[in-house]
Amino acid sequence: METKTRKLPERLCLGCNEMKPKNTLIRIVKSPDGEISLDLTGKKPGRGAYICGSTDCLKRLKKSGRLSKQFKSAIPDEVFTGLEAALDAK
């Protein structure tokens, strides 16, 4: 009897626009009450957006404004500083 291999879920990185495994990406979430924050656990409720661990992707994300378009609201600076800290920790 063959064992089934689980398919890893993939998500789109908003910086480089490539599909990558979900567990390698950093999640940014907009909670139901409208607060935007980092979700390092991947368990917070709300609408999520993903970015890979590349500083180039972070620069593109800031420059393009895709994150604010995704969430249809302005992104606080704390989110970008948190992303930079998360990328430095990796």
Side-chain angles (χ1 to χ4, degrees):
M1 181 174 212
E2 292 183 36
T3 58
K4 290 186 179 181
T5 56
R6 286 188 63 191
K7 184 179 176 191
L8 290 174
E10 291 189 337
R11 298 292 183 262
L12 183 74
C13 171
L14 288 180
C16 60
N17 210 25
E18 292 180 12
M19 295 295 283
K20 298 191 178 188
K22 183 179 172 184
N23 58 357
T24 63
L25 300 172
I26 299 170
R27 184 174 188 241
I28 306 152
V29 65
K30 181 177 181 181
S31 66
D33 60 341
E35 180 188 350
I36 297 173
S37 62
L38 286 181
D39 181 15
L40 300 176
T41 62
K43 304 287 184 195
K44 289 185 181 179
R47 174 122 179 115
Y50 296 86
I51 183 170
C52 63
S54 165
T55 54
D56 291 336
C57 284
L58 181 59
K59 289 177 187 174
R60 277 191 229 126
L61 188 66
K62 275 184 173 179
K63 187 176 178 181
S64 69
R66 283 184 77 182
L67 195 58
S68 56
K69 290 175 191 170
Q70 180 82 18
F71 291 140
K72 297 179 180 137
S73 63
I75 308 301
D77 289 333
E78 301 90 54
V79 173
F80 288 113
T81 55
L83 274 171
E84 289 171 359
L87 292 179
D88 290 342
K90 274 192 164 184

